[in-house]
Amino acid sequence: MSKFLIKVGQGSCGIAAGAGKVYDVLNEKVSGNPEVTLSITGCIGMCYLEPIVDVYEGDARRTYCKADEKFALALAEAVASGNLDADALKAYEIAEEDKDYLRKQTRIALRHCGNINPESIEEYMAADGYQALTKVLKTMTPDDVIEVIKTSGLAGRGGAGFPTWFKWNAAKSSPGEQKYLICNADEGDPGAFMDRAVIESDPHNLIEGMLIGAYAIGASEAVVYVRAEYPLAIVRLTKAIEQAEKAGFLGENILGTGFSCKMRIKAGAGAFVCGEETALIESLEGQRGMPRLKPPFPAQKGYWQKPSNINNVETFANVAWILLHGGEAFAAMGTEDSKGTKVFALTGKIRKGGLVEIPMGKTLRDVIFDIGGGIKNDAEFKAVQMGGPSGGCIPADLLDTVIDYKKLGATGAIMGSGGMVVMDESTCMVDMARFFLDFTTKESCGKCVHCRLGTKRLHEILTRIVEGEGREGDIENLEELCTTVKDGALCGLGQTAPNPVLTTIRYFRHEYEAHIRDKKCPAGNCKTLIHFTIDADKCKGCTLCARQCPVDAIAGKVKEAHVIDADKCIKCGKCFESCKFGAIVKD
Amino acid sequence: MEKEFCCTCGSKSDLTLLEPVLAKYASVPGSLITILQHAQDIYGYLPTDVLWHVAEKTGIKPAKVLGVATFYTQFRFKPVGKYLILLCQGTACHVNGAKLVEAALEEELGIKDGDTTDDGLFSLKTVACLGCCSLSPVMMINDETYGSLTPSKAKEIIRELRGKQA
């Protein structure tokens, strides 16, 4: 055993922040040194501190953040001399405050993420991996498994929150020889990346959860439908499947128990609607991803018309833990009707963006302020968007809302898959609604009229409002149309598409009214409704703004106050950003 | 759009390149998307004659092949540049100024979303969400992710790549 073990966090976020270069430098410098082992790990969830490097000396673990090449060189030197107390490393050491980020969480789905090497089945097994599967296959019946899941209260983490045991039981009870287990890893919700992190950081946990599910429903084939936009997740999962096959956890006669199950990956091709389970099945069959009418439900007639069960990545990521620790242990966390933990992807105008797993029952304030550290640049919190295009915006006075399926639903938003996009005063809520409707309009598959045309008309009205062409009655029109789309759409995409509009009207009606009546955007965001002028008293005539202006709309002599020609101005804001004297006024 | 697909004369893709893929998948039900993904990897896009060829070899009607290909945003019907820029339009990127980055890229490249520069070097495409939200705004160029973009940083990255060509 070598004296030092160095682990470089290599999730997509870490790599994008430069972890690859840090690893390469370390690799060059420490290879050949028997006292140092260099390894990788997945995403620990503190994305705001990436790239992160952990150094283990025996059991002592030191974490270094925002690592760069300079750090890598210093670390290589420190381990070569055997002394980690070098000054050059001190600046990179994680702050006490940031350690709290993890301490305040309860990690079940993410329990191995950022700790083990996702490309090593040995490390997964050393961290209790595949023990739950062994226990299940050797000592439990499928009904026993379903009973444990029922006790745990685990509900679908993809957004709908449907009890997992119920789906498993339905698929198990459905007559038929051939059954399929499918994992929905088509995480299309913009602003959410929990599933990507789980697959990239702990792929064996997903495989184990799926195998337990397959055993429970009696499936001999399992498919993971992964977004094509997640190349690293596909690479790591492919590797993990190969390792599991070799180790005898996948394939024929698993662990000598007579249970057989094979697993494969299907890469999606980019369609948000494929997150809907029947659309996903269509896509798996090589068709356009358009939802089917339900019933029959997938548990009765799913993939190739056979009984199928579909769960989300995070749902499966909890399964092995539950089987190992018992349903009661999971159910002991959370609230009356929402059990266990939930992972959130905390992004937007937040100080500490990343992945947060907390027990249900905490409040939004706990997550955003206590763990997330509040708003970037000390700005005012305005709203948090939850559930992506199917969810809604929750305002500041509801920050103490408890995280639980029912309580969040009551606000008009939804738990969703776990995207939490935080917004400050500079975000225009009407534009936010327009943004989501732009998304759903493009992603609507076009099968049913309510969604295909309804979202388009909603988008048209919203665009009109943000462009200053809003009319009296638009808000009421939006509300009426929203209700129609909600009631009439065929699948979840259409039924929930109006949520962003309805919640922003409910909590930020005054912003809509300001756009329509006063032709003003209170957030100073909507281009056609803002104006730039120069405060002659503050302007020093430095000419910087005039030089920055791409359309020569600013005139004035050196050391004299400048003037903006409103007719020429394209409102790009470059003058506003460049002025050192605060002389440019935006209103 | 219709005109683009109506006739195969003039296009002459090397269809033999697709043979190994078709040998593996042509008779496996439900493999159309997989075949198209491989084809796009091989040709860089989906040329019309390739689509017709896939239809012929799989026995799937040409209209259906085209229907599936046009349904998914991953598939392209025009060649792309050496560098394919995928600019994220996710929620986190949106609130952190992805629009300004888009404008800067369009200005620097002189093209709009979906187009390719005349020198065949860059293609620009906006995409839903790349899942690197904590680094927003983000873009991905040929599988490499660039985060925490500003308009000037985005321009610099393009200039650097352009400089590499010289």
Side-chain angles (χ1 to χ4, degrees):
Chain A
M1 235 293 309
S2 47
K3 190 173 174 207
F4 298 106
L5 170 62
I6 303 176
K7 289 189 176 186
V8 182
Q10 297 248 17
S12 283
C13 290
I15 293 172
K21 278 183 196 118
V22 171
Y23 183 88
D24 291 344
V25 172
L26 281 169
N27 194 29
E28 192 193 312
K29 297 284 176 192
V30 303
S31 62
N33 183 345
E35 288 303 318
V36 185
T37 307
L38 181 62
S39 180
I40 63 161
T41 183
C43 169
I44 190 96
M46 295 190 285
C47 306
Y48 67 105
L49 294 176
E50 292 284 2
I52 296 174
V53 178
D54 280 320
V55 182
Y56 295 80
E57 188 179 1
D59 286 335
R61 171 179 181 169
R62 296 181 197 228
T63 303
Y64 299 97
C65 318
K66 299 195 175 173
D68 50 18
E69 286 185 53
K70 205 174 118 198
F71 164 80
L73 291 171
L75 179 61
E77 217 166 273
V79 290
S81 67
N83 176 20
L84 286 179
D85 292 320
D87 281 344
L89 296 181
K90 285 264 186 303
Y92 294 92
E93 255 176 58
I94 187 169
E96 275 306 311
E97 180 199 338
D98 290 317
K99 285 186 187 164
D100 283 345
Y101 194 79
L102 293 176
R103 284 189 199 134
K104 286 175 180 168
Q105 301 185 36
T106 305
R107 300 195 145 209
I108 292 178
L110 302 179
R111 64 193 179 281
H112 300 133
C113 296
N115 294 321
I116 64 167
N117 179 349
E119 300 187 4
S120 158
I121 191 171
E122 292 80 14
E123 286 198 24
Y124 178 69
M125 289 176 70
D128 74 28
Y130 289 112
Q131 286 178 17
L133 179 71
T134 311
K135 176 180 162 188
V136 163
L137 295 186
K138 297 203 166 160
T139 68
M140 296 171 83
T141 65
D143 283 322
D144 291 342
V145 176
I146 292 173
E147 198 52 40
V148 172
I149 297 296
K150 188 177 178 182
T151 308
S152 76
L154 179 65
R157 296 295 192 244
F162 202 73
T164 304
W165 77 270
F166 190 91
K167 284 173 85 166
W168 287 15
N169 197 42
K172 178 186 163 282
S173 313
S174 248
E177 279 291 297
Q178 175 73 58
K179 293 179 186 177
Y180 294 99
L181 183 95
I182 298 164
C183 173
N184 183 349
D186 190 43
E187 187 172 51
D189 176 354
F193 54 92
M194 302 75 51
D195 297 348
R196 174 179 65 70
V198 169
I199 304 175
E200 284 178 1
S201 310
D202 196 13
H204 285 287
N205 185 25
L206 172 64
I207 295 174
E208 188 174 4
M210 286 181 70
L211 281 168
I212 294 169
Y215 175 72
I217 70 163
S220 57
E221 201 176 327
V223 190
V224 190
Y225 186 93
V226 191
R227 278 186 91 193
E229 287 90 338
Y230 289 172
L232 183 65
I234 293 176
V235 168
R236 296 232 168 112
L237 188 59
T238 307
K239 217 177 231 179
I241 289 176
E242 282 167 12
Q243 290 171 347
E245 279 169 352
K246 239 186 216 157
F249 295 119
L250 258 178
E252 296 297 318
N253 192 17
I254 297 171
L255 299 173
T257 59
F259 171 65
S260 301
C261 185
K262 51 186 180 179
M263 190 178 285
R264 65 189 162 89
I265 299 172
K266 179 94 178 180
F272 176 67
V273 70
C274 290
E276 200 281 337
E277 55 183 13
T278 58
L280 188 150
I281 289 172
E282 286 286 312
S283 182
L284 274 182
E285 293 179 6
Q287 311 280 352
R288 290 162 72 93
M290 294 164 106
R292 297 174 181 172
L293 267 177
K294 291 193 271 192
F297 292 95
Q300 297 146 349
K301 284 185 176 180
Y303 187 35
W304 300 124
Q305 299 298 313
K306 306 283 188 221
S308 309
N309 176 68
I310 304 179
N311 291 121
N312 159 273
V313 175
E314 191 189 330
T315 312
F316 284 124
N318 285 305
V319 169
W321 189 94
I322 293 171
L323 267 301
L324 217 49
H325 296 85
E328 292 82 3
F330 193 77
M333 292 176 285
T335 64
E336 185 65 35
D337 51 38
S338 302
K339 301 297 184 193
T341 60
K342 177 78 194 85
V343 184
F344 292 99
L346 197 51
T347 63
K349 306 271 185 174
I350 187 92
R351 273 185 62 218
K352 301 178 181 177
L355 285 177
V356 176
E357 182 172 2
I358 42 120
M360 302 273 191
K362 293 258 183 191
T363 65
L364 291 171
R365 190 187 298 279
D366 290 336
V367 176
I368 296 165
F369 286 89
D370 193 28
I371 298 177
I375 314 303
K376 248 189 222 171
N377 306 324
D378 294 320
E380 274 297 303
F381 172 88
K382 183 173 190 177
V384 56
Q385 211 285 339
M386 289 188 69
S390 307
C393 294
I394 303 174
D397 53 357
L398 293 179
L399 265 174
D400 292 309
T401 302
V402 164
I403 294 172
D404 136 319
Y405 287 99
K406 274 195 188 149
K407 302 263 167 45
L408 284 172
T411 67
I414 56 168
M415 174 88 70
S417 60
M420 231 189 229
V421 185
V422 176
M423 300 164 200
D424 67 9
E425 288 300 325
S426 68
T427 309
C428 168
M429 302 315 281
V430 188
D431 180 60
M432 209 59 226
R434 189 202 54 80
F435 167 78
F436 280 115
L437 263 296
D438 179 53
F439 181 82
T440 32
T441 304
K442 285 176 185 158
E443 295 295 338
S444 171
C445 78
K447 185 166 180 168
C448 69
V449 179
H450 287 88
C451 176
R452 184 179 69 234
L453 297 182
T455 54
K456 193 171 170 59
R457 294 288 104 87
L458 285 171
H459 182 246
E460 279 170 6
I461 299 175
L462 290 164
T463 304
R464 194 163 78 208
I465 297 174
V466 298
E467 287 177 352
E469 306 287 328
R471 307 168 198 150
E472 280 302 324
D474 270 351
I475 300 179
E476 292 71 21
N477 269 336
L478 282 172
E479 285 173 324
E480 194 190 335
L481 190 49
C482 280
T483 313
T484 311
V485 174
K486 255 176 124 70
D487 292 345
L490 177 67
C491 81
L493 189 152
Q495 288 158 6
T496 59
N499 285 349
V501 186
L502 288 172
T503 54
T504 48
I505 293 179
R506 180 164 160 192
Y507 299 118
F508 300 94
R509 196 181 185 98
H510 55 279
E511 284 199 28
Y512 279 83
E513 286 166 352
H515 281 77
I516 294 169
R517 294 189 190 141
D518 313 331
K519 308 294 174 206
K520 290 233 181 277
C521 173
N525 176 77
C526 298
K527 260 190 180 181
T528 39
L529 299 180
I530 53 173
H531 307 278
F532 290 97
T533 47
I534 295 177
D535 182 340
D537 292 336
K538 287 187 181 165
C539 179
K540 307 275 187 217
C542 74
T543 74
L544 183 60
C545 60
R547 280 180 278 136
Q548 289 287 325
C549 180
V551 290
D552 293 330
I554 304 178
K557 288 184 183 148
V558 184
K559 292 187 180 169
E560 282 176 26
H562 285 42
V563 182
I564 297 175
D565 182 341
D567 292 334
K568 280 190 188 167
C569 177
I570 56 165
K571 298 168 189 176
C572 68
K574 280 188 180 153
C575 53
F576 184 76
E577 286 159 20
S578 65
C579 182
K580 295 190 173 76
F581 310 104
I584 312 275
V585 182
K586 177 162 105 170
D587 68 351
Chain B
M1 201 85 175
E2 295 82 19
K3 265 193 179 169
E4 258 175 58
F5 302 110
C6 69
C7 126
T8 59
C9 55
S11 51
K12 37 188 179 306
S13 311
D14 182 356
L15 299 174
T16 58
L17 295 173
L18 201 58
E19 280 320 308
V21 176
L22 289 169
K24 192 170 171 192
Y25 294 108
S27 54
V28 182
S31 299
L32 179 56
I33 295 170
T34 309
I35 294 171
L36 295 177
Q37 284 169 332
H38 282 289
Q40 182 155 290
D41 282 345
I42 294 169
Y43 302 102
Y45 70 111
L46 294 177
T48 311
D49 55 347
V50 168
L51 289 170
W52 280 90
H53 186 66
V54 168
E56 193 185 314
K57 294 290 175 183
T58 56
I60 300 171
K61 289 193 174 66
K64 190 156 185 182
V65 173
L66 193 59
V68 169
T70 51
F71 185 83
Y72 295 97
T73 51
Q74 186 187 22
F75 298 120
R76 307 179 286 264
F77 306 98
K78 279 190 268 178
V80 286
K82 184 172 172 190
Y83 296 105
L84 175 60
I85 306 166
L86 301 177
L87 180 67
C88 184
Q89 304 280 294
T91 321
C93 289
H94 180 77
V95 302
N96 279 318
K99 277 281 158 224
L100 299 173
V101 175
E102 186 182 347
L105 285 173
E106 288 183 347
E107 188 187 309
E108 179 65 30
L109 296 166
I111 53 171
K112 293 274 175 203
D113 177 21
D115 292 340
T116 301
T117 52
D118 288 337
D119 58 8
L121 216 46
F122 296 100
S123 294
L124 179 62
K125 193 166 190 282
T126 54
V127 292
C129 182
L130 294 170
C132 292
C133 312
S134 47
L135 296 168
S136 58
V138 174
M139 67 178 171
M140 198 187 248
I141 304 182
N142 296 358
D143 280 352
E144 186 161 344
T145 312
Y146 299 84
S148 308
L149 296 175
T150 59
S152 55
K153 198 168 154 190
K155 284 184 177 180
E156 236 169 72
I157 292 164
I158 299 301
R159 285 176 197 154
E160 220 167 87
L161 288 174
R162 206 183 270 138
K164 275 190 192 165
Q165 307 310 310

